[in-house]
């Protein structure tokens, strides 16, 4: 029951699209943040982890939100980077 409650709250935090003061620390220790999850919602082939980014790091599917300046969709089948 405790895990379910923590997990539900975590899902609310990563879907909030809000920058939290602890995001930099969480990202360093491998916890996904709202910005990491925002990348996943825009580029479905990146940042699969809901809780942890370890598998994304291992399989090279992690994209740091700071490396993306803006998202504008796609042009000619190619993803256009941007935030």
């Amino acid at each position: 029951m405790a895990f379910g409650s923590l997990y539900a709250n975590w899902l609310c935090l990563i879907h909030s699209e809000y920058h939290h003061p602890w995001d930099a620390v969480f990202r360093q220790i491998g916890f996904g943040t709202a910005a990491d999850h925002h990348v996943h919602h825009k580029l479905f082939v990146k940042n699969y982890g809901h809780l942890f980014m370890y598998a994304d790091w291992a399989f090279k599917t992690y994209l740091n939100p700071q490396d993306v300046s803006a998202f504008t969709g796609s042009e000619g089948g190619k993803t256009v980077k941007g935030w």
Side-chain angles (χ1 to χ4, degrees), residues 6-53:
L6 290 172
Y7 187 66
N9 284 300
W10 187 259
L11 290 178
C12 287
L13 286 175
I14 66 171
H15 285 99
S16 69
E17 304 224 359
Y18 179 79
H19 176 74
H20 301 96
W22 55 80
D23 283 353
V25 174
F26 277 17
R27 189 174 292 119
Q28 281 186 320
I29 60 175
F31 289 6
T33 65
D36 294 320
H37 201 66
H38 184 74
V39 171
H40 169 73
H41 278 270
K42 294 296 182 180
L43 306 171
F44 294 112
V45 296
K46 299 290 182 186
N47 299 4
Y48 293 105
H50 270 86
L51 294 175
F52 305 110
M53 295 286 121

Side-chain angles (χ1 to χ4, degrees), residues 73-81:
S74 63
E75 292 177 2
K78 294 184 178 180
T79 301
V80 178
K81 287 186 179 180

